[in-house]
């Protein structure tokens, strides 16, 4: 249901952008279509916890910690939790609505795609042959 609401907001904002809490920008015309980016503020509250994990300052330290943490002998359990807490914050969900320039037999299909945790919106626009490998 939430995805339907987000799609409706994106379509409406594509038609008209007014003073609203949703920030639209980067309306770029590309050889294969036009895209408009949005930052949608969403307030969320969730129970969370603070864990006893070391601070890492670089990729080498992060890799070493991840390897140590993934071993069977590393203790995992309630003892590693320092305190329970609640996280309440307004987060920005980045969205991009692209409409192809060329009419297609699949032009009435809307795809909602999400990138993985280690990627950002550049994931969808490859620098390699963007007319072939891009949303």
């Amino acid at each position: 249901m939430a995805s339907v609401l987000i799609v409706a907001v994106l379509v409406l904002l594509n038609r008209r952008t007014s003073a609203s809490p949703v920030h639209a920008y980067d309306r770029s015309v590309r050889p294969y279509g036009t895209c408009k980016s949005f930052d949608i503020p969403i307030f969320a509250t969730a129970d969370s916890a603070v864990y006893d994990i070391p601070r890492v300052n670089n990729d080498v330290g992060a890799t070493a910690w991840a390897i140590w943490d993934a071993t069977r002998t590393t203790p995992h359990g309630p003892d590693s939790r320092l305190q329970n807490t609640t996280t309440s914050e307004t987060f920005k969900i980045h969205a991009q609505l692209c409409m192809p320039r060329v009419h297609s037999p699949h032009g009435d299909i809307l795809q909602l795609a999400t990138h993985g945790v280690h990627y950002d919106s550049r994931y969808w626009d490859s620098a390699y042959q963007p007319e072939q490998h891009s949303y």
Side-chain angles (χ1 to χ4, degrees), residues 11 14 36 39 67 69 72 78 99-100 110 113 117 124-126 130:
V11 170
N14 189 49
K36 192 172 189 179
D39 284 331
I67 292 169
D69 187 63
R72 291 178 181 236
M99 303 203 318
L110 176 65
V117 69
W124 302 109
D125 287 318
S126 171

Side-chain angles (χ1 to χ4, degrees), residues 13-134:
L13 287 173
N14 189 49
R15 292 190 180 142
R16 79 169 172 73
T17 303
S18 62
S20 72
V22 176
H23 302 290
Y25 58 92
D26 185 32
R27 184 173 190 103
S28 57
V29 176
R30 301 174 183 184
Y32 44 85
T34 302
C35 295
K36 192 172 189 179
S37 295
F38 303 89
D39 284 331
I40 304 167
I42 302 290
F43 181 79
T45 298
D47 294 333
S48 56
V50 176
Y51 290 91
D52 183 20
I53 58 174
R55 177 180 174 87
V56 294
N57 296 316
N58 56 45
D59 291 345
V60 173
T63 302
W65 178 81
I67 292 169
W68 173 83
D69 187 63
T71 62
R72 291 178 181 236
T73 57
T74 302
H76 291 95
D79 294 342
S80 63
R81 186 175 51 232
L82 297 178
Q83 71 180 41
N84 291 325
T85 186
T86 301
T87 301
S88 295
E89 191 171 336
T90 299
F91 298 91
K92 282 193 236 177
I93 295 178
H94 179 75
Q96 186 172 346
L97 176 64
C98 294
M99 303 203 318
R101 191 176 284 251
V102 178
H103 180 68
S104 163
H106 304 290
D108 59 344
I109 297 173
L110 176 65
Q111 291 184 338
L112 296 178
T114 60
H115 55 76
V117 69
H118 297 293
Y119 300 100
D120 59 17
S121 60
R122 293 174 290 181
Y123 182 81
W124 302 109
D125 287 318
S126 171
Y128 175 71
Q129 297 179 342
E131 66 282 352
Q132 297 292 322
H133 304 284
S134 179

